[in-house]
Amino acid sequence: MDWKRLDRVRHNVGPVHLDLVESYAQGKISRRSFVRRGAVIGLSMPFIGAVIAACGDDEGSGGGTAGSNAPGTSGAPGTGAPGTAAPGTTASSGTASGQKGGMMTVGSQIPGALDPIAMQDLGAYGLIAQCFEFLATLGDDGKIAPGLAESWEANEDGSVWTFQLRKGVKWQDGKDFSSADVAATMDRLVEAANSGLAGVIEAGAVDTSDPNVAVFNLANPNGNFPALVSCFNAQTAITPVDFETGMTLDGAPNGTGPWKLDRFDAATGCTFVRNPDWWGGKTPLDSTEFSFFDDLGTMLTAMQGGSVDALVQFSVIGGDALLNSPDFKVLEIESATHRQIWMRTDKGTFADKRVRQALAYTFDREQMVETLFRGRASIGNDHPIAPFFPYFDDSVPQRTKDIDMAKQLLTDAGAEGVRATLQIVRLQEIPELAQLIVAGAAEAGMKIEIAQESTETFYGSQWCPAEPADPPCSGAAELGIVDYGDRPTPDIYLNAALKTNGVWNSSQYSNKDLDAAFAEFQSSVDVESQRAASKSMETILNDDTPIGLPFFYNFLSGHSTELQNVRVTAIGQMFLEKASRV
């Protein structure tokens, strides 16, 4: 430890930043956790690297993570540097090696409505991100980085966050971007309650006194706030001050981003062309095209046949040929991406928590990880706090398959011979997961049938119907599987899906102790307090089991080796402003 060097680098940071630095210097959190959280709260990569170097970390001071050498991430053709790209990115040997002009075609799932505020599916997330940008975006290292905001900083208790906005940014209609756009966007999100910001901000939260500064006065202190207004919270894309709730990208094309929507057909695909006035400069590609697919098999065939150049997401099952192809570059991200098996807690078959626990005890989690992902996943414990989060508490006992326990719980509940319908979306490995759930449940005497729908209808008909609107999702099916994309913190999962009256609470779960623990977690600005709150939440959710969450899986994306400088998030956003043909 070089204390003098550490003192120099930590001298001018605020209390929120200093707590993280001290936790790392004292060995309370890992290097990887330090880098992950540092990016969220606004530490620059040079600062992070300086702290790591001062603490004597011999893994290097560039701010990379242990996942940097994950299979399928490498330098672009000709770099001679395999394993050097950050997870979810492809590096190049310099822009000179890439061609100028041309187009690339991306294979994607059919999106729902392109409403930046109300969208619910990864297909829409990816398209919105082509035109609309975020205060914080995806960096070349795969972590949160400056976007429309150049920097951000909290006050002492994390109740006020100040974002310095990028100057000279124009909307595609020629108007200037300012803090008024940020404030209007946030007010629309508060009204719609569809972004995991419930209880975090209220209407009028953003001070717009300076057009180049957005000051957020939060309803309560929040140590993870920048993550909630980043690209990892897809609905927080900044839209113009005169944008209205219900507007869609195809109905009212606009944005500050590198691409302009040129053509959109909800069934087949869309085309984006270069935005010549983008603040970030001229994109290497002239245009990009997204082709929509209803099933993975057809999408994989299109990739192998050369009719598309990239895939936003594919799965291990069926994707073996791509994983082993010398012509395909795999982008793999260890992520908090997961599937939630929701169970209605307010009525019906699963209202008794013993029945919910019984189903969870039939999950063979190891088999799921191996069969569905060939090991490219981590075991889950029926709560959304992933094991690589810095505040994860591993002292909560891991639930494992126990058929005898499942049978006993069903007997105690007077629920032998349970019959239920499992509603699923036809997406990635979810149909195969459903089969494994049905087989495991049958061992305990539970008879479950599968009902399957497309991505076009499932979210609105089974998972979270718009009506009845109060409480949200109260029209949801009693049992189903829904997909959740990656987030750098678990706030969105907890706030939207598990908090009382959460906007995506298809389980209709309500527990005042969980709500209180989550409030404590949100208001904590130090890692130790967050970890204590996490332990409470993990314990409560594991016991109540409103959801089954058997794994967190690695997100797989990729593209032809004829392309380079492609970046992707594990919630389905493919950033192409630097992409080019080799």
Side-chain angles (χ1 to χ4, degrees), residues 16 37 40-41 153-161 163 196-201 216-229 391 489 491-492 495 499 518-526 530:
V16 174
R37 176 147 177 78
V40 169
I41 63 175
E153 188 173 3
N155 67 344
E156 185 170 349
D157 68 353
S159 62
V160 178
W161 286 84
F163 289 74
L197 291 172
V200 179
I201 61 172
F216 286 79
N217 296 284
L218 308 187
N220 297 288
N222 192 299
N224 294 328
F225 182 69
L228 304 184
V229 289
Y391 24 78
T489 75
D491 295 60
I492 304 300
N495 201 350
K499 181 180 172 183
F518 177 51
E520 181 66 26
F521 174 80
Q522 285 187 301
S523 64
S524 299
V525 295
D526 63 281
Q530 288 183 326

Side-chain angles (χ1 to χ4, degrees), residues 105 175 178 180 290 302 319 324 386 396 399 469 479 483:
T105 302
K175 296 177 181 177
S178 74
F290 283 71
N324 299 306
V396 179
R399 178 171 282 145
L479 177 67
D483 52 306

Side-chain angles (χ1 to χ4, degrees), residues 65 131 171 230 251 256 284 293 425 427 431 512 519 550:
T65 70
C131 298
W171 292 101
S230 75
T256 59
F293 295 87
V425 60
L427 180 69
K512 60 180 177 52

Side-chain angles (χ1 to χ4, degrees), residues 108-389:
S108 172
Q109 72 181 61
I110 297 176
L114 301 188
D115 182 336
I117 294 173
M119 60 183 178
Q120 297 177 329
D121 61 282
L122 271 65
Y125 292 177
L127 300 183
I128 292 297
Q130 303 306 306
C131 298
F132 292 113
E133 298 180 293
F134 301 82
L135 292 177
T137 190
L138 179 69
D140 290 338
D141 58 1
K143 302 179 186 64
I144 287 176
L148 287 175
E150 293 183 318
S151 64
W152 49 89
E153 188 173 3
N155 67 344
E156 185 170 349
D157 68 353
S159 62
V160 178
W161 286 84
T162 301
F163 289 74
Q164 301 294 328
L165 303 182
R166 197 175 295 278
K167 298 177 182 178
V169 176
K170 295 279 190 182
W171 292 101
Q172 291 173 9
D173 62 9
K175 296 177 181 177
D176 292 328
F177 162 71
S178 74
S179 57
D181 300 306
V182 177
T185 298
M186 295 302 146
D187 286 348
R188 286 190 289 269
L189 290 172
V190 169
E191 181 182 4
N194 192 35
S195 63
L197 291 172
V200 179
I201 61 172
E202 298 173 348
V206 182
D207 183 341
T208 61
S209 301
D210 187 331
N212 298 314
V213 181
V215 180
F216 286 79
N217 296 284
L218 308 187
N220 297 288
N222 192 299
N224 294 328
F225 182 69
L228 304 184
V229 289
S230 75
C231 63
F232 294 98
N233 189 7
Q235 288 80 9
T236 63
I238 304 301
T239 47
V241 66
D242 56 358
F243 204 80
E244 296 180 6
T245 299
M247 282 185 172
T248 60
L249 174 62
D250 51 312
N254 208 338
T256 59
W259 304 105
K260 301 175 70 171
L261 183 63
D262 182 61
R263 176 192 66 88
F264 178 78
D265 182 279
T268 61
C270 61
T271 303
F272 297 91
V273 296
R274 178 191 294 125
N275 175 9
D277 300 317
W278 181 48
W279 59 266
K282 183 178 179 180
T283 61
L285 292 171
D286 296 323
S287 62
T288 62
E289 184 175 87
F290 283 71
S291 292
F292 302 152
F293 295 87
D294 189 37
D295 68 275
L296 179 62
T298 307
M299 189 186 299
L300 291 170
T301 299
M303 183 71 228
Q304 292 171 306
S307 58
V308 299
D309 301 301
L311 299 180
V312 172
Q313 184 182 13
F314 70 99
S315 61
V316 172
I317 293 180
D320 303 74
L322 295 181
L323 290 170
N324 299 306
S325 172
D327 300 318
F328 186 80
K329 186 181 292 295
V330 178
L331 305 182
E332 180 170 1
I333 309 171
E334 183 183 49
S335 71
T337 309
H338 62 270
R339 310 308 190 192
Q340 285 189 12
I341 299 108
W342 82 79
M343 294 167 273
R344 287 289 294 259
T345 63
D346 59 329
K347 63 180 181 180
T349 305
F350 299 93
D352 190 320
K353 78 173 182 180
R354 291 171 294 185
V355 180
R356 302 193 298 269
Q357 291 172 341
L359 181 58
Y361 273 114
T362 69
F363 297 163
D364 190 333
R365 298 161 202 261
E366 289 80 7
Q367 180 194 33
M368 291 175 179
V369 166
E370 185 55 38
T371 301
L372 302 176
F373 305 105
R374 307 292 192 267
R376 289 178 158 93
S378 303
I379 297 294
N381 201 20
D382 301 327
H383 60 73
I385 302 172
F388 50 76
F389 285 144

Side-chain angles (χ1 to χ4, degrees), residues 477-492:
E478 70 170 7
L479 177 67
I481 306 175
V482 69
D483 52 306
Y484 272 88
D486 184 45
R487 303 294 194 279
T489 75
D491 295 60
I492 304 300

Side-chain angles (χ1 to χ4, degrees), residues 75-80 91 93 97 329 561-564 582:
T79 64
S93 56
S97 65
K329 186 181 292 295
T561 52
E562 296 180 359
L563 296 168
Q564 62 182 6
V582 177

